[in-house]
Amino acid sequence: MPGNPSHSITLSVLRAGKQLRDAPDDVAREMAATRLVVAAERSIAQFDNAVTQAFAGAGAGAGAGAVAAVLPAAQTDEVLAAALRQVQVVNTVFAAGRVLDEDSDPDRAVLAGTLAEFDAVVPLIDATENVAARGFQSGPAPVPGDFRKLVAEAYAGFASRSAKTIATSISGIRDRGPEAIRGAWSWAKEKLELDKIGGRLVKLGLRALLGVLRLLSRLIPAERTESLRERVERLIAAVDRGSPATALTGAALGVDEAARRSDSLLRKEDLDQDRLGKCVLDLGAVTTRHGRAMELCDGIAVAIALAGKFALAVPHLPLFVLGGQVLLIAAVVVIGRDCTGDAGAIVEGAVA
């Protein structure tokens, strides 16, 4: 996303929410609500514009099925961070709507809890964005056996870390049934008309959440949608007590086949020491990029699930939430497959 998005607009939503929470009377409450509406409108516009810029012209020369086929990998973390901020905006707006509608202490408590979640996510985004600036330092000269071990650990890490994120996203999905899941997948990629939905804050929240869903759908290469749908639906169907098996996630990511091929290549070839050192650094960069993306996806999954608590008061919200969960799982699979492919390419480069 060109020019790392500023926190200022989303933080202005947080400030307006706090003013609404602490408003001593109706006049102050109405003023805070107006500030919140303005800030939320600006946040939606900034998010939509930034996503459009990020995807403009992306995809040339990328391999089929990779995240880079839609968005350069270096920008994936930036749009995920923006999405995480935006879902926090969504929940703040929904919670504020409850305060204005009911003006009760329990609803103020809901807003206070939502604002606390918003406060907590800012350091997470900062931390994940700052990881990229650390770089990777050269250590002792690696030996082929150690590199084989690092490669194997990287593949296993892609599967286990992706499985953890999927488990966070999958809570409650399996009880909806396969038809609901398929319907949500298809619906989430279409524009929902909001004209008949009343309430300015409800409509703003749904618009913001729909923008996040559109972003997640754009992370999924269109030419691979059907195969991804099958993988995602199998993962959901295989959930046992809310946790998908790492082995099934690994199969969806293609790590088993990639790991076997990489191990075979590294055992057969004499590796150049200088080239091997660079490959170790490159592999570290890929695994860190995957971990950072999964941290952000974890945050999005939790925030989308929290949005579900407003379902009784917000029309269409359960469908939004289900669509977001399904699309997020698909994006996790795509990101994992992309990193798996990058690791394979690093191994190929080591033996070239």
Side-chain angles (χ1 to χ4, degrees):
M1 192 170 292
N4 209 18
S6 169
H7 289 193
S8 62
I9 294 179
T10 47
L11 290 180
S12 67
V13 173
L14 177 60
R15 287 193 295 271
K18 289 178 177 178
Q19 290 170 350
L20 178 60
R21 176 198 62 193
D22 300 332
D25 52 41
D26 290 343
V27 174
R29 191 176 301 116
E30 184 61 30
M31 290 179 62
T34 300
R35 293 190 191 98
L36 181 59
V37 168
V38 171
E41 289 276 14
R42 291 179 63 204
S43 179
I44 292 170
Q46 181 205 45
F47 178 78
D48 291 345
N49 181 63
V51 170
T52 298
Q53 290 185 49
F55 282 91
V67 172
V70 181
L71 185 71
Q75 294 183 8
T76 302
D77 294 342
E78 294 176 9
V79 296
L80 289 173
L84 179 52
R85 292 190 193 98
Q86 195 71 343
V87 186
Q88 302 298 325
V89 170
V90 169
N91 286 332
T92 299
V93 169
F94 285 154
R98 286 186 56 175
V99 169
L100 291 177
D101 289 342
E102 303 295 337
D103 191 23
S104 64
D105 289 338
D107 288 317
R108 286 175 179 267
V110 169
L111 178 57
T114 302
L115 296 174
E117 293 286 344
F118 201 157
D119 268 329
V121 84
V122 174
L124 167 63
I125 295 171
D126 289 339
T128 54
E129 288 177 346
N130 290 337
V131 169
R134 297 177 193 168
F136 297 90
Q137 304 299 320
S138 298
V143 298
D146 290 340
F147 184 57
R148 286 201 307 273
K149 181 180 178 181
L150 287 174
V151 170
E153 290 174 347
Y155 286 127
F158 296 152
S160 62
R161 189 61 185 82
S162 298
K164 177 181 178 295
T165 299
I166 290 170
T168 302
S169 304
I170 215 165
S171 176
I173 288 181
R174 61 178 178 164
D175 297 329
R176 307 292 184 90
E179 289 301 322
I181 291 167
R182 282 192 287 271
W185 178 293
S186 300
W187 171 87
K189 298 172 77 68
E190 302 294 333
K191 180 180 180 181
L192 177 68
E193 297 297 335
L194 303 176
D195 293 341
K196 295 182 180 180
I197 297 175
R200 56 181 179 174
L201 290 176
V202 167
K203 189 175 293 188
L204 278 175
L206 289 174
R207 280 175 52 201
L209 188 53
L210 183 59
V212 173
L213 266 61
R214 287 181 183 139
L215 165 63
L216 293 174
S217 72
R218 293 187 72 172
L219 290 174
I220 303 167
E223 69 274 14
R224 301 299 297 275
T225 296
E226 288 307 314
S227 63
L228 282 167
R229 285 179 66 152
E230 292 175 3
R231 290 190 182 97
V232 169
E233 288 171 16
R234 282 199 299 267
L235 282 173
I236 294 172
V239 170
D240 181 20
R241 296 181 182 176
S243 177
T246 299
L248 291 172
T249 303
L253 270 54
V255 299
D256 294 338
E257 180 181 348
R260 285 193 295 269
R261 172 170 172 74
S262 293
D263 189 69
S264 176
L265 286 172
L266 293 174
R267 287 182 183 277
K268 291 180 179 178
E269 301 288 344
D270 292 329
L271 305 180
D272 178 83
Q273 201 66 38
D274 292 337
R275 183 183 298 167
L276 187 60
K278 180 180 183 303
C279 288
V280 169
L281 297 181
D282 291 343
L283 185 65
V286 171
T287 57
T288 298
R289 172 161 55 88
H290 180 263
R292 186 165 64 248
M294 292 302 100
E295 287 289 332
L296 291 167
C297 287
D298 283 344
I300 295 170
V302 171
I304 289 176
L306 287 173
K309 69 187 177 185
F310 302 108
L312 293 177
V314 181
H316 302 298
L317 186 57
L319 196 54
F320 269 91
V321 170
L322 181 59
Q325 290 167 326
V326 172
L327 286 173
L328 184 60
I329 292 171
V332 167
V333 172
V334 171
I335 292 168
R337 289 180 68 84
D338 181 60
C339 290
T340 297
D342 287 347
I346 291 168
V347 172
E348 296 275 359
V351 302

Coordinates of all heavy atoms in Angstrom, one line a residue, residues 273-318:
Q273 N 29.2 -22.5 -0.5 CA 29.0 -21.9 0.8 C 28.5 -20.5 0.8 O 27.7 -20.1 1.6 CB 30.4 -22.0 1.5 CG 30.3 -21.9 3.0 CD 29.6 -23.1 3.6 OE1 29.8 -24.3 3.2 NE2 28.8 -22.9 4.7
D274 N 29.0 -19.7 -0.1 CA 28.5 -18.3 -0.2 C 27.0 -18.2 -0.6 O 26.3 -17.5 0.0 CB 29.3 -17.5 -1.2 CG 30.8 -17.3 -0.7 OD1 31.0 -17.4 0.5 OD2 31.6 -17.0 -1.6
R275 N 26.7 -19.1 -1.5 CA 25.3 -19.1 -1.9 C 24.4 -19.6 -0.8 O 23.3 -19.1 -0.6 CB 25.1 -20.0 -3.2 CG 23.7 -20.0 -3.7 CD 23.6 -21.0 -4.9 NE 24.5 -20.5 -6.0 CZ 24.8 -21.3 -7.0 NH1 24.3 -22.5 -7.1 NH2 25.6 -20.9 -8.0
L276 N 24.9 -20.6 -0.1 CA 24.1 -21.2 1.0 C 23.8 -20.1 2.1 O 22.7 -20.0 2.6 CB 24.9 -22.4 1.6 CG 24.1 -23.2 2.7 CD1 22.9 -23.8 2.1 CD2 25.1 -24.3 3.2
G277 N 24.8 -19.3 2.4 CA 24.6 -18.2 3.4 C 23.6 -17.3 3.0 O 22.7 -16.9 3.8
K278 N 23.5 -16.9 1.7 CA 22.5 -16.0 1.3 C 21.1 -16.7 1.4 O 20.1 -16.0 1.7 CB 22.7 -15.6 -0.2 CG 21.7 -14.6 -0.7 CD 22.0 -14.2 -2.2 CE 20.9 -13.2 -2.7 NZ 19.5 -13.7 -2.6
C279 N 21.0 -18.0 1.0 CA 19.8 -18.7 1.1 C 19.2 -18.8 2.5 O 18.0 -18.7 2.7 CB 19.9 -20.1 0.5 SG 20.2 -20.1 -1.3
V280 N 20.1 -18.9 3.5 CA 19.7 -18.9 4.9 C 19.0 -17.6 5.2 O 18.0 -17.5 5.9 CB 20.9 -19.2 5.8 CG1 20.5 -18.9 7.3 CG2 21.4 -20.6 5.7
L281 N 19.6 -16.5 4.8 CA 19.0 -15.2 5.1 C 17.7 -15.0 4.4 O 16.7 -14.5 4.9 CB 20.0 -14.0 4.6 CG 21.3 -14.0 5.4 CD1 22.2 -12.8 4.9 CD2 21.1 -13.8 6.9
D282 N 17.6 -15.4 3.1 CA 16.4 -15.3 2.3 C 15.3 -16.2 3.0 O 14.1 -15.7 3.1 CB 16.6 -15.8 0.9 CG 17.5 -14.8 0.1 OD1 17.7 -13.7 0.5 OD2 18.0 -15.2 -1.0
L283 N 15.6 -17.4 3.4 CA 14.6 -18.2 4.1 C 14.1 -17.6 5.4 O 12.9 -17.6 5.7 CB 15.2 -19.6 4.4 CG 14.3 -20.6 4.9 CD1 13.2 -21.0 3.9 CD2 15.0 -21.9 5.3
G284 N 15.0 -17.0 6.1 CA 14.6 -16.2 7.3 C 13.7 -15.1 7.0 O 12.7 -14.9 7.8
A285 N 13.9 -14.4 5.9 CA 13.0 -13.3 5.5 C 11.6 -13.8 5.2 O 10.6 -13.2 5.6 CB 13.6 -12.6 4.4
V286 N 11.5 -15.0 4.5 CA 10.2 -15.5 4.1 C 9.5 -16.0 5.4 O 8.3 -15.8 5.5 CB 10.4 -16.7 3.1 CG1 9.1 -17.4 2.9 CG2 10.9 -16.2 1.8
T287 N 10.2 -16.7 6.3 CA 9.5 -17.2 7.5 C 9.0 -16.1 8.4 O 7.9 -16.1 8.9 CB 10.4 -18.2 8.3 OG1 11.6 -17.5 8.6 CG2 10.7 -19.4 7.5
T288 N 9.8 -15.0 8.4 CA 9.4 -13.8 9.2 C 8.2 -13.2 8.6 O 7.2 -12.7 9.3 CB 10.5 -12.9 9.4 OG1 11.6 -13.5 10.1 CG2 10.1 -11.6 10.1
R289 N 8.2 -13.0 7.3 CA 7.1 -12.4 6.5 C 5.8 -13.2 6.8 O 4.7 -12.7 7.0 CB 7.4 -12.3 5.0 CG 6.2 -11.9 4.2 CD 6.7 -11.4 2.8 NE 7.5 -12.3 2.1 CZ 7.0 -13.3 1.3 NH1 5.7 -13.4 1.2 NH2 7.8 -14.1 0.6
H290 N 5.9 -14.6 6.7 CA 4.7 -15.4 7.0 C 4.2 -15.2 8.4 O 3.0 -15.0 8.6 CB 5.1 -16.9 6.7 CG 3.9 -17.8 7.0 ND1 3.7 -18.5 8.2 CD2 2.8 -18.1 6.2 CE1 2.6 -19.2 8.1 NE2 2.0 -19.0 6.9
G291 N 5.1 -15.2 9.4 CA 4.7 -15.0 10.8 C 4.1 -13.7 11.0 O 3.1 -13.6 11.7
R292 N 4.6 -12.7 10.4 CA 4.0 -11.3 10.5 C 2.6 -11.3 9.9 O 1.7 -10.7 10.5 CB 4.9 -10.3 9.9 CG 4.5 -8.9 10.1 CD 5.6 -7.9 9.7 NE 6.0 -7.9 8.3 CZ 7.1 -8.4 7.8 NH1 8.0 -8.9 8.6 NH2 7.3 -8.4 6.5
A293 N 2.4 -11.9 8.8 CA 1.1 -11.9 8.1 C 0.1 -12.7 9.0 O -1.0 -12.3 9.1 CB 1.2 -12.5 6.7
M294 N 0.6 -13.8 9.6 CA -0.3 -14.6 10.4 C -0.7 -13.8 11.7 O -1.9 -13.9 12.2 CB 0.3 -15.9 10.8 CG 0.4 -16.9 9.6 SD -1.1 -17.3 8.7 CE -1.0 -16.1 7.3
E295 N 0.2 -13.0 12.3 CA -0.2 -12.2 13.4 C -1.3 -11.2 13.1 O -2.2 -11.1 13.9 CB 1.1 -11.5 13.9 CG 2.1 -12.3 14.6 CD 1.7 -12.8 16.0 OE1 0.9 -12.1 16.6 OE2 2.1 -13.9 16.4
L296 N -1.1 -10.6 11.9 CA -2.2 -9.7 11.5 C -3.5 -10.4 11.2 O -4.6 -9.9 11.6 CB -1.7 -8.9 10.3 CG -0.5 -7.9 10.6 CD1 0.1 -7.4 9.3 CD2 -1.0 -6.7 11.4
C297 N -3.4 -11.5 10.6 CA -4.6 -12.3 10.3 C -5.3 -12.8 11.6 O -6.5 -12.8 11.7 CB -4.3 -13.5 9.4 SG -4.0 -13.1 7.7
D298 N -4.5 -13.1 12.6 CA -5.0 -13.5 13.9 C -5.9 -12.3 14.5 O -7.0 -12.5 15.0 CB -3.9 -13.8 14.9 CG -3.3 -15.1 14.8 OD1 -3.9 -16.0 14.1 OD2 -2.2 -15.4 15.3
G299 N -5.3 -11.1 14.4 CA -6.0 -9.9 14.9 C -7.3 -9.7 14.1 O -8.3 -9.3 14.7
I300 N -7.3 -9.8 12.8 CA -8.5 -9.6 12.0 C -9.5 -10.7 12.4 O -10.7 -10.3 12.5 CB -8.1 -9.7 10.5 CG1 -7.2 -8.6 10.1 CG2 -9.4 -9.7 9.6 CD1 -6.6 -8.7 8.7
A301 N -9.1 -11.9 12.6 CA -10.1 -13.0 12.9 C -10.8 -12.7 14.2 O -12.0 -12.8 14.4 CB -9.3 -14.3 13.0
V302 N -10.0 -12.3 15.2 CA -10.6 -11.9 16.5 C -11.5 -10.7 16.4 O -12.6 -10.7 17.0 CB -9.5 -11.6 17.5 CG1 -10.0 -11.1 18.8 CG2 -8.7 -12.9 17.8
A303 N -11.1 -9.7 15.7 CA -11.9 -8.5 15.5 C -13.2 -8.8 14.8 O -14.3 -8.3 15.1 CB -11.1 -7.4 14.8
I304 N -13.2 -9.7 13.7 CA -14.4 -10.0 13.0 C -15.3 -10.8 13.9 O -16.5 -10.6 13.9 CB -14.0 -10.8 11.7 CG1 -13.4 -9.9 10.7 CG2 -15.3 -11.5 11.1 CD1 -12.9 -10.6 9.5
A305 N -14.7 -11.7 14.7 CA -15.6 -12.5 15.6 C -16.2 -11.6 16.7 O -17.4 -11.8 17.0 CB -14.7 -13.6 16.3
L306 N -15.5 -10.6 17.1 CA -16.1 -9.6 18.1 C -17.2 -8.9 17.5 O -18.2 -8.5 18.1 CB -15.0 -8.7 18.6 CG -14.0 -9.3 19.6 CD1 -12.9 -8.2 19.9 CD2 -14.7 -9.7 20.9
A307 N -17.1 -8.6 16.2 CA -18.2 -7.9 15.5 C -19.5 -8.7 15.6 O -20.6 -8.1 15.6 CB -17.9 -7.6 14.0
G308 N -19.4 -10.0 15.7 CA -20.6 -10.8 15.7 C -21.5 -10.6 16.9 O -22.7 -10.9 16.9
K309 N -20.9 -10.0 18.0 CA -21.7 -9.8 19.2 C -22.8 -8.7 19.0 O -23.7 -8.6 19.8 CB -20.8 -9.4 20.4 CG -20.1 -8.1 20.2 CD -19.1 -7.8 21.4 CE -18.4 -6.5 21.2 NZ -17.3 -6.3 22.2
F310 N -22.6 -8.0 17.9 CA -23.6 -6.9 17.6 C -24.7 -7.4 16.7 O -25.5 -6.7 16.2 CB -23.0 -5.7 17.0 CG -21.9 -5.1 17.8 CD1 -20.6 -5.2 17.5 CD2 -22.2 -4.4 19.0 CE1 -19.6 -4.7 18.3 CE2 -21.2 -3.9 19.8 CZ -19.9 -4.0 19.5
A311 N -24.7 -8.8 16.4 CA -25.6 -9.3 15.4 C -27.1 -9.0 15.6 O -27.8 -8.8 14.6 CB -25.4 -10.8 15.3
L312 N -27.5 -9.0 16.8 CA -29.0 -8.8 17.1 C -29.4 -7.4 16.7 O -30.6 -7.2 16.4 CB -29.3 -9.1 18.6 CG -29.1 -10.6 19.0 CD1 -29.4 -10.7 20.5 CD2 -30.1 -11.5 18.2
A313 N -28.5 -6.5 16.8 CA -28.8 -5.1 16.6 C -28.5 -4.6 15.1 O -29.0 -3.5 14.8 CB -28.1 -4.2 17.6
V314 N -27.8 -5.4 14.4 CA -27.3 -4.9 13.1 C -27.8 -5.9 12.0 O -27.4 -7.0 11.9 CB -25.8 -4.8 13.0 CG1 -25.3 -4.3 11.7 CG2 -25.3 -3.9 14.1
P315 N -28.6 -5.4 11.0 CA -29.1 -6.2 9.9 C -28.0 -6.7 9.1 O -27.0 -6.0 8.8 CB -30.0 -5.3 9.1 CG -30.4 -4.2 10.1 CD -29.2 -4.0 11.0
H316 N -28.1 -8.0 8.7 CA -27.1 -8.6 7.8 C -25.8 -8.9 8.4 O -24.9 -9.5 7.7 CB -26.9 -7.8 6.5 CG -28.1 -7.5 5.7 ND1 -28.9 -8.5 5.1 CD2 -28.7 -6.4 5.4 CE1 -29.9 -8.0 4.5 NE2 -29.8 -6.7 4.6
L317 N -25.5 -8.5 9.6 CA -24.2 -8.7 10.2 C -23.8 -10.2 10.3 O -22.6 -10.4 10.0 CB -24.1 -8.0 11.6 CG -22.7 -8.0 12.2 CD1 -21.7 -7.3 11.3 CD2 -22.8 -7.3 13.6
P318 N -24.6 -11.1 10.7 CA -24.1 -12.5 10.7 C -23.6 -13.0 9.4 O -22.6 -13.7 9.4 CB -25.4 -13.3 11.1 CG -26.2 -12.3 11.9 CD -26.0 -11.0 11.2

